[in-house]
Amino acid sequence: MRWVAAVRVVAAVLVARAVLVVPADAIGAVHAAGAAGPGGTVHAAGASGPVGAVHAAGASGASGSVARLAGFVALRDIDPSVVEDIRYAGARNFTGAVVDGYEEPVCLLARPAAEALRRAQRELLRSGYSLKVFDCYRPQRAVDRFVRWAGDAADQSTKAEFHPGVDKSRLIPEGYIAARSGHSRGSTVDVTVVRLPARRELDMGTAFDFFDSLSHTDDPRVSGTVRENRGMLKGVLGAQGFVNLPEEWWHFTYRPEPHPDTYFDFPVAVATVRP
């Protein structure tokens, strides 16, 4: 059929570019493993959700080198003064292990988001503070790992630290874990503020990734210094185009997003974005 041939051609071209955008009328799944080389399977599930979901896993050429992704940068190349503590690249997160897709502890972002963070950082540095990022771009395979973790009722090893008041079986129904994340579009960052020079985090009332309504930015139980600190973070980022997710004081998305309908799955590694 003509549409099958057309889809195969489009998939091959997009894999070669390592940037895959699935049109709304794409077929349910395209498997273009042959075009990417060993380990370069691409799954483009255009009909699986409200927008096209993209899995562009390890696209490579004949030499096996990872293809560069245009439009994304390492935050350290834009502003090395921002503190990076990429939690999913280590074991200090709610899964208790390094998360799928995090090959290096580095913050990758779409360039407009990274440049907006640099502007916010300049404002904070003038007052003796700095941004500290916990997560930036997040591959779809990592989100898939979160969903599998949430479904594993036997693993309660991190409950006391990350969700003491919420049963693990409720994390997906109550929206703490979801099958899609704005992080996979490349313009969302999880971030806090630290005081310089000690780099001590300001008191935000909860830890990062604490699954509880107390993490809601404007939770009525939050007052005093904690409310001021959350307000400062929201204000300095908001002035540069970032919009806060009300359910998570640390979660901000730069708008307008360069890739509002695309969920990427390239690995978190500097080689993915550097020319």
Side-chain angles (χ1 to χ4, degrees):
M1 297 183 179
R2 292 183 179 176
W3 58 269
V4 173
V7 167
R8 287 176 176 168
V9 171
V10 171
V13 171
L14 290 173
V15 168
R17 295 175 59 189
V19 181
L20 184 60
V21 181
V22 180
D25 59 349
I27 63 172
V30 177
H31 300 274
T41 302
V42 174
H43 304 278
S48 63
V51 294
V54 174
H55 302 259
S60 61
S63 65
S65 60
V66 176
R68 271 54 172 185
L69 188 73
F72 278 73
V73 296
L75 178 60
R76 66 182 61 168
D77 290 339
I78 301 299
D79 193 334
S81 72
V82 176
V83 181
E84 297 188 22
D85 181 12
I86 308 302
R87 294 292 180 85
Y88 303 135
R92 191 185 173 192
N93 62 72
F94 59 83
T95 73
V98 175
V99 177
D100 299 2
Y102 284 81
E103 297 182 0
E104 296 175 6
V106 60
C107 171
L108 306 182
L109 287 169
R111 179 176 288 276
E115 292 176 344
L117 274 187
R118 177 175 60 185
R119 294 193 297 271
Q121 176 74 344
R122 288 174 177 171
E123 292 299 316
L124 286 173
L125 289 175
R126 293 190 182 100
S127 302
Y129 297 99
S130 171
L131 293 172
K132 177 179 180 178
V133 294
F134 298 118
D135 194 35
C136 301
Y137 158 74
R138 181 185 305 165
Q140 180 61 43
R141 73 190 81 174
V143 180
D144 296 342
R145 172 68 182 107
F146 293 168
V147 172
R148 293 195 304 273
W149 171 85
D152 183 4
D155 181 4
Q156 298 288 333
S157 59
T158 62
K159 178 177 175 60
E161 181 176 0
F162 291 99
H163 58 105
V166 181
D167 190 88
K168 195 174 185 181
S169 66
R170 300 301 306 163
L171 292 178
I172 291 178
E174 294 186 18
Y176 293 105
I177 302 290
R180 296 280 181 268
S181 171
H183 282 275
S184 301
R185 302 193 297 263
S187 295
T188 294
V189 61
D190 292 335
V191 60
T192 190
V193 176
V194 298
R195 188 184 302 277
L196 298 174
R199 295 186 172 186
R200 181 174 301 170
E201 293 179 21
L202 299 190
D203 184 3
M204 296 294 182
T206 76
F208 163 62
D209 264 354
F210 188 68
F211 299 141
D212 190 279
S213 59
L214 189 60
S215 295
H216 293 186
T217 307
D218 295 319
D219 186 277
R221 293 169 291 175
V222 175
S223 60
T225 300
V226 172
R227 182 168 290 276
E228 291 177 3
N229 291 341
R230 291 187 183 185
M232 178 175 70
L233 176 61
K234 185 177 179 180
V236 73
L237 289 178
Q240 303 303 329
F242 286 92
V243 178
N244 176 240
L245 179 69
E247 289 77 20
E248 298 176 350
W249 59 260
W250 57 81
H251 180 116
F252 291 84
T253 299
Y254 177 76
R255 292 180 181 167
E257 295 183 63
H259 311 287
D261 299 322
T262 306
Y263 294 78
F264 295 96
D265 192 42
F266 58 88
V268 178
V270 172
T272 307
V273 300
R274 283 185 179 162

